[in-house]
Amino acid sequence: MPASIVHQDELTMAFVDLRQFHPGHVLVIPKKHFNDVRDLDERTGAALMLTVTRVTRAIAKAFPSEGISVWHSIGEAAFQEVPHLHVHIHSRKRGDNFLRVYPAEVPHQADQETRDEIAARLREQLQ
């Protein structure tokens, strides 16, 4: 299917999504196949984030809104529909109930000890 290309460079491409909840929904992808962000090499990751930044600014100017959501889903539980890394950029309006981060009941706040334990586990994996 032909794409409505917003931007492309050596490593990335941005194009208008078929589904437009609010005008300006754009997908940014690496040209090389990666399942998700965990597979990215540093060069492609940096290029992808630069394209996301530039396109997000363009969306904000072309389609003024009350906010913007930038997101990437990994796996079925996160509702990943296409098995190729893609970052969504959506204009938002107050009260549109699109992409709620939490269900109706907000999770409790973790105490400092719990947060420190989580941070320690993550630091171990970064080494």
Side-chain angles (χ1 to χ4, degrees), residues 18 29 63 85 87 125 127:
L18 294 172
I29 64 167
F63 300 98
L85 168 59
V87 177
Q125 298 305 313
Q127 297 176 11

Side-chain angles (χ1 to χ4, degrees), residues 10-15 17 19 26-41 44-45 48 71-76 78-88:
E10 176 190 357
L11 299 173
T12 69
M13 178 184 288
F15 54 92
D17 192 287
R19 295 174 287 190
V26 173
L27 298 178
V28 178
I29 64 167
K31 288 183 174 178
K32 180 180 172 187
H33 175 68
F34 296 95
N35 286 323
D36 60 63
V37 71
R38 299 170 296 180
D39 298 332
L40 275 177
D41 59 81
T44 307
L48 186 73
W71 58 284
H72 163 60
S73 296
I74 301 173
E76 274 186 50
F79 305 105
Q80 181 180 11
E81 297 176 326
V82 177
H84 180 88
L85 168 59
H86 56 288
V87 177
H88 293 261

Side-chain angles (χ1 to χ4, degrees), residues 38-84:
R38 299 170 296 180
D39 298 332
L40 275 177
D41 59 81
E42 289 185 7
R43 182 170 179 254
T44 307
L48 186 73
M49 201 59 190
L50 178 58
T51 299
V52 166
T53 301
R54 293 181 69 204
V55 171
T56 301
R57 287 184 189 131
I59 290 169
K61 290 177 183 174
F63 300 98
S65 62
E66 297 172 300
I68 296 176
S69 289
V70 177
W71 58 284
H72 163 60
S73 296
I74 301 173
E76 274 186 50
F79 305 105
Q80 181 180 11
E81 297 176 326
V82 177
H84 180 88

Side-chain angles (χ1 to χ4, degrees), residues 85-100:
L85 168 59
H86 56 288
V87 177
H88 293 261
I89 307 170
H90 284 274
S91 291
R92 299 295 304 276
K93 297 196 185 311
R94 238 179 272 259
D96 65 15
N97 288 322
F98 184 68
L99 296 174
R100 290 188 59 91

